[in-house]
Amino acid sequence: MPLTTGEFATIKSIKDRLPGPPDPNQVWIGDDAAILTLPGGGWLLLAADTVVGGVHADLTLTSMADLGWKAMAACISDIAAMGGEAGYALVTVAGPPGTDLDGLYDGLAEAAQEYACPIVGGDLANARALVVTVAVTGTCDGPPVRRSGARPGDLLWVTGPLGRSAAGLRLLRSGVMGAGRDGPEAESLIAAHARPRARLAAGGAARRAGATAMIDISDGLAADIGHVADMSGVGFRLTEVPIAQGASRDDAVGGGEDFELVFAVPPGSAVPEAFAGLDQLICIGEVTSDPGERILAGRTLDPLGWEHRW
Ligand SMILES: [Mg+2]
């Protein structure tokens, strides 16, 4: 498999080389987190996420503390996308001599406290580029929600308006070039980019409300809802994408790292009740039976999301 192949083809190639789970109730590769079944009953979730300086984070625009926070939040978001609770984290940092580990670990520790996910170990290594890898465990008191369970007729919900992170990054970039980035809306968008939130409570609520499939929006709505459709063997019709204040439609459809959750539930499920007091829940469309159908507002949806190149 050449290194220029897309990330998802690469994952399939890796999966084909490794043994699969002996138990059909387990998922080892290909979902937001791996699902393991525990001998005494219950589920264990495992997820890992890597942030590379200069690739996933522009180190001239991102503080080390923000980078640490984001690395933890992004990984914990994968536990949220299964409907799980965060457990423990391992953090591995490879970087050049002089890397500001104090700043990095300040941000990691803040996120660990916020999500009650203590950092219990990891590794340090010298490397030319900064690479931060977070691995987390999670637990679930019911079957975790996979990407593969959406059924025709299910309604699709998202846990909030989209595009805030992409809009915040644009503001940061324009700010570097001298344009204004003041005001509460700009600050809120920049914070959405610098300190994204993992929707753990929302993921649990969606699971308890009967979600059949779920994913966190890390690569963009178009790409991530496409993964749900691919793995469920279904299509979708979205009425419209909810655009966050200050964001553009492209930010909302193609911008990643909002870490809102999108999930499917059978019609009639008590979704709004399950989310009382939680995130701003929006129904965006429905699941259809034709896997080739990928519609947004009457038009075929291009997967604008950013697929990492290898
Ligand atoms: Mg994910």
Side-chain angles (χ1 to χ4, degrees), residues 11-305:
I11 291 171
K12 184 181 180 306
S13 170
I14 291 170
K15 191 174 176 178
D16 290 346
R17 283 162 193 278
L18 297 172
D23 175 349
N25 292 315
Q26 299 194 8
V27 173
W28 282 10
I29 292 176
D31 215 302
D32 289 282
I35 303 172
L36 306 179
T37 47
L38 295 172
W43 289 265
L44 174 66
L45 304 170
L46 296 174
D49 210 72
T50 291
V51 176
V52 181
V55 175
H56 303 102
D58 181 339
L59 298 180
T60 64
L61 299 177
T62 304
S63 74
M64 290 295 280
D66 286 347
L67 190 144
W69 171 284
K70 188 183 277 194
M72 276 289 279
C75 196
I76 292 170
S77 176
D78 282 328
I79 300 295
M82 312 301 291
E85 304 272 342
Y88 299 91
L90 298 173
V91 176
T92 294
V93 181
T99 296
D100 177 16
L101 289 176
D102 290 345
L104 180 69
Y105 273 84
D106 283 348
L108 285 161
E110 283 178 67
Q113 182 168 8
E114 173 74 18
Y115 298 109
C117 183
I119 297 167
V120 297
D123 199 10
L124 292 170
N126 280 309
R128 264 187 286 185
L130 177 64
V131 180
V132 181
T133 298
V134 177
V136 295
T137 65
T139 54
C140 230
D141 58 11
V145 184
R146 307 176 185 197
R147 295 178 177 180
S148 56
R151 295 293 169 258
D154 286 355
L155 297 177
L156 290 163
W157 296 79
V158 67
T159 52
L162 304 173
R164 291 164 52 78
S165 177
L169 177 59
R170 197 170 51 247
L171 282 170
L172 279 172
R173 286 178 171 154
S174 68
V176 166
M177 293 183 288
R181 54 185 237 211
D182 302 327
E185 181 181 294
E187 277 175 26
S188 150
L189 294 172
I190 289 169
H193 177 75
R195 297 266 170 153
R197 295 185 301 122
R199 272 67 174 188
L200 277 175
R207 179 173 59 77
R208 287 186 289 276
T212 54
M214 182 153 58
I215 193 168
D216 65 327
I217 300 177
S218 53
D219 293 333
L221 175 69
D224 288 319
I225 204 167
H227 298 323
V228 169
D230 289 343
M231 295 197 58
S232 297
V234 297
F236 56 81
R237 266 197 302 269
L238 307 184
T239 48
E240 192 40 272
V241 57
I243 303 170
Q245 197 174 342
S248 71
R249 193 166 187 270
D250 277 356
D251 292 335
V253 177
E257 296 194 346
D258 280 319
F259 299 112
E260 297 289 357
L261 303 175
V262 60
F263 60 91
V265 285
S269 301
V271 171
E273 292 81 351
F275 277 77
L278 287 177
D279 300 52
Q280 186 185 341
L281 199 64
I282 305 153
C283 186
I284 57 171
E286 66 174 333
V287 177
T288 64
S289 58
D290 176 2
E293 188 175 42
R294 310 281 166 106
I295 300 292
L296 169 60
R299 296 185 175 194
T300 296
L301 179 62
D302 290 326
L304 296 174

